[in-house]
Amino acid sequence: MSKIIVGRYIPGNSLVYKMDPRGKLLITILFIFVIFLANNPITYAIITVFCLAAIFATRLKVRVFWDGVKPLIGLIFFTSLLQLFFMTGGKTYWQWWIFTISSYGLVNAAYIFIRFTLIILISTVMTVTTMPLEIADAMEWLLKPLKIFKVPVDKIALVISIALRFVPTLFDETLKIMNAQRSRGADFNDGGLVKRAKAITPILVPLFIHSLETAIDLSTAMESRGYRGSSGRTKYRVLNWSKYDLISLFCFIALVLLLLIFRNH
């Protein structure tokens, strides 16, 4: 089972680490929308270079980002295959029943694969260089306009921060339970799909009990420390924009301009 990266902060001191979490979150969200501007090899090359530059700026090992992509590589391939076999247009190379391989399908499958991979990589850049609590603070800042409509932004940010914090913990607990089951002779890779599904059942019960116990302990700890919601509370972590955020936003604006310029080439 692959090591999950979501919610795992890896300490560092590069340019990306010095950015304000609000800037990183904003660029990550905008990147997901901007990537749809790419529609030809030149624009996809430009946006790939931008993503690789962001990875290089973290000064982390490539293995970290591979661990971020690996758990979803099956889903990426499956989505790409759907485009490959069901997208028609251009020159047809092979056809059988409802399946077709065409030039248009090949191009779209490649673009879908690149698009999903880049989105996961840029998201990994943010999660490994930003502490979960900082991500929650950035989300709270981003959702502030919703307070006008009486949306409980503070509570949403709290839920998000707790979820991000305990995703790696639950995954580690799952590995411990699986290793304990294996030591007792359990086999999670043998047999068909139904047998594998039945083999996972003994994992779910102790994992659910552990999750419930963790939630109770957390609520008790919060109550004992006098937590009564976010209204009127001051911020321990003060977020400040820096020159690194301006540099990053300038690079992102340059990316958008390049995509718009080369989009019709």
Side-chain angles (χ1 to χ4, degrees), residues 223-252:
E223 289 178 359
S224 65
R225 288 165 174 77
Y227 183 81
R228 294 294 182 272
S230 300
S231 56
R233 292 171 59 89
T234 57
K235 293 289 185 181
Y236 176 74
R237 297 174 302 277
V238 180
L239 303 179
N240 294 308
W241 293 88
S242 66
K243 61 180 180 180
Y244 303 105
D245 299 286
L246 295 177
I247 293 172
S248 301
L249 288 173
F250 175 79
C251 293
F252 185 78

Side-chain angles (χ1 to χ4, degrees), residues 65-110:
F65 300 95
W66 168 241
D67 288 339
V69 174
K70 189 162 58 173
L72 297 173
I73 197 70
L75 178 62
I76 297 173
F77 269 113
F78 176 74
T79 308
S80 300
L81 288 175
L82 289 179
Q83 294 290 322
L84 177 63
F85 289 112
F86 293 100
M87 184 68 67
T88 59
K91 185 178 179 181
T92 301
Y93 299 109
W94 177 81
Q95 186 174 10
W96 177 76
W97 195 33
I98 61 174
F99 304 104
T100 303
I101 296 180
S102 63
S103 57
Y104 191 72
L106 285 169
V107 171
N108 273 274

Side-chain angles (χ1 to χ4, degrees), residues 9 33 47 58 65 69 75 81 91 107 118 123 125 135 171 195 198 202 223 225 259:
Y9 170 74
F33 290 100
I47 206 163
T58 63
F65 300 95
V69 174
L75 178 62
L81 288 175
K91 185 178 179 181
V107 171
L118 293 181
S123 301
V125 169
I135 295 176
F171 192 85
K195 188 176 180 180
K198 290 181 179 179
E223 289 178 359
R225 288 165 174 77
L259 290 177

